[in-house]
Amino acid sequence: MTPTVVVVGGGYGGITVARALDDVADVTLVEPKETFVHNVAALRAAVDPSWAEKIFIPYDGLLSRGRVVRDRAARVTPGHVELASGATLAADYLVLATGSTSPVPSRLDVPELDAARERLRDVRDALDRSSGVLLLGAGPIGLEFAGEIAAAWPTTPVTVVDRGPALVGGRFPDEFRADLGRQLDALGVRVLLGTTLTAPPDPAPGTVRPFTVTTSAGEIIAADLWFPCYGTGVESGYLDDSLAAARQPDGRLAVTGELRVAGHERVFAIGDLTNTPELKMARSAVQQAEVAAANVRALISGDTLRGYTPLPDGIVLPLGPSGGVTYDAEAGFLGAEMTARIKATFHIERFQETLGVPATV
């Protein structure tokens, strides 16, 4: 009898593991969104209408034998997935790939395609009308968004505020952060580090309305549009008690070296949901998915399981279409020109191939 695999979550890791197991198992991918969303390019899509359609890729071509169920996991046990619709899926093997959340526009918070498109249009319209933008968070999301805004609206002042002492978390060389700072200066982006706001802006995020805020250092910032630019956590509230026992204080799940959820032989977790020690990005989710898929195959066939080796810190951080910085453990530091080349297509063709869609770039 063909074993059943249920993959919960249709992001980068979910589509990779589902596709990889389609030939050996009865695979069901559970995902509430109408289409896959290429979040890596979401900030470009927020300022550039030509990207707004590209980031939405249908799931129709992902699986040749399995199926994609558009629904939300309401409760997951080691052998079953209860859906919000009331249906229940039996699973010989489970792969949890529900990822993390972050604010619009780095992630789109609605499952319907038309509503997601409207979110992007609203962001572009607000930016087009704004006379000054405040971004909270000097991590990859905040700095990439700052670069996109500054490149698209060069006369609009952009200020980034972060309580941390340095640009971007992670183990990167001084040259990386120095060049990042120089490029932000050249774009006219003002970055205030080591400070916080005494109170949040009064308007809702993404709403164009003049406001002033004060930093803990006593500086007054005036703007009329602001966005939070940091992650807000992982989604793991659907787990039953036996699986939730692996949940760490930050909500992530403790996994073994083979990416099995601690205490469970046939339940795997991948991507942002895990407590593995690398930077949480699409590339690590994909690598974990490949290992988890190989290990499900090994369990099915009785072979030896593979261990997962976390990736060293690395990042490709664009600052608009022609700028940015890159660091890779093997290649080292790369500046604006190479970063722009690397991010020219945001690697969308790779995920179009995974999803069985003809390349558009």
Side-chain angles (χ1 to χ4, degrees):
M1 185 174 179
T2 304
T4 57
V5 176
V6 177
V7 181
V8 184
Y12 295 103
I15 63 170
T16 301
V17 74
R19 178 94 170 192
L21 293 171
D22 192 37
D23 65 327
V24 294
D26 181 3
V27 176
T28 300
L29 175 70
V30 177
E31 169 55 51
K33 286 189 173 62
E34 190 172 346
T35 70
F36 174 81
V37 182
H38 187 39
N39 288 311
V40 169
L43 295 174
R44 179 67 53 83
V47 306
D48 182 351
S50 71
W51 271 93
E53 280 301 314
K54 294 177 187 176
I55 68 169
F56 302 107
I57 309 173
Y59 287 109
D60 300 353
L62 174 64
L63 301 173
S64 59
R65 291 169 21 118
R67 60 180 176 146
V68 178
V69 174
R70 192 180 168 208
D71 209 331
R72 186 179 301 277
R75 183 171 180 269
V76 175
T77 71
H80 294 86
V81 176
E82 298 175 15
L83 304 177
S85 63
T88 298
L89 303 173
D92 295 317
Y93 302 92
L94 273 171
V95 182
L96 308 176
T98 44
S100 60
T101 58
S102 62
V104 174
S106 61
R107 301 285 175 92
L108 300 171
D109 57 353
V110 288
E112 295 79 16
L113 177 58
D114 287 344
R117 289 169 172 153
E118 185 175 357
R119 286 280 198 276
L120 291 175
R121 286 194 297 269
D122 289 346
V123 171
R124 286 196 302 275
D125 176 68
L127 289 167
D128 198 44
R129 293 185 290 118
S130 174
S131 60
V133 181
L134 171 65
L135 304 178
L136 301 184
I141 294 173
L143 298 182
E144 181 176 341
F145 197 23
E148 294 290 350
I149 296 168
W153 289 275
T155 61
T156 300
V158 180
T159 302
V160 181
V161 173
D162 195 296
R163 69 173 68 240
L167 298 170
V168 187
R171 296 176 289 272
F172 300 118
D174 292 342
E175 181 185 16
F176 172 90
R177 289 191 173 87
D179 197 69
L180 177 56
R182 284 194 294 271
Q183 289 189 51
L184 289 167
D185 286 343
L187 286 166
V189 175
R190 188 164 177 248
V191 181
L192 303 178
L193 297 174
T195 191
T196 60
L197 302 184
T198 58
D202 182 55
T207 302
V208 181
R209 197 175 86 200
F211 63 86
T212 59
V213 289
T214 304
T215 70
S216 55
E219 183 169 350
I220 297 174
I221 302 169
D224 62 5
L225 179 64
W226 75 284
F227 294 92
C229 296
Y230 39 78
T232 57
V234 297
E235 299 186 25
S236 59
Y238 55 83
L239 301 175
D240 80 335
D241 290 345
S242 67
L243 292 169
R247 189 186 289 134
Q248 304 299 288
D250 63 357
R252 302 183 193 276
L253 299 183
V255 292
T256 67
E258 301 85 22
L259 298 177
R260 292 189 275 198
V261 175
H264 297 274
E265 182 180 354
R266 294 188 169 194
V267 183
F268 293 79
I270 58 175
D272 292 1
L273 186 59
T274 71
N275 70 335
T276 53
E278 72 278 273
L279 293 176
K280 300 302 183 182
M281 296 182 177
R283 67 174 190 144
S284 56
V286 168
Q287 178 165 305
Q288 288 188 8
E290 291 169 349
V291 172
N295 286 338
V296 171
R297 295 178 81 98
L299 288 173
I300 291 171
S301 62
D303 292 336
T304 302
L305 274 63
R306 286 173 51 186
Y308 170 70
T309 301
L311 292 168
D313 285 357
I315 190 171
V316 183
L317 176 55
L319 295 174
S322 59
V325 288
T326 295
Y327 179 74
D328 177 81
E330 294 183 2
F333 167 74
L334 302 172
E337 183 178 354
M338 285 302 301
T339 300
R341 289 184 188 177
I342 293 169
K343 282 287 187 169
T345 68
F346 290 91
H347 303 297
I348 195 170
E349 64 280 359
R350 175 177 182 179
F351 301 103
Q352 289 171 330
E353 180 181 3
T354 299
L355 288 152
V357 173
T360 59
V361 293

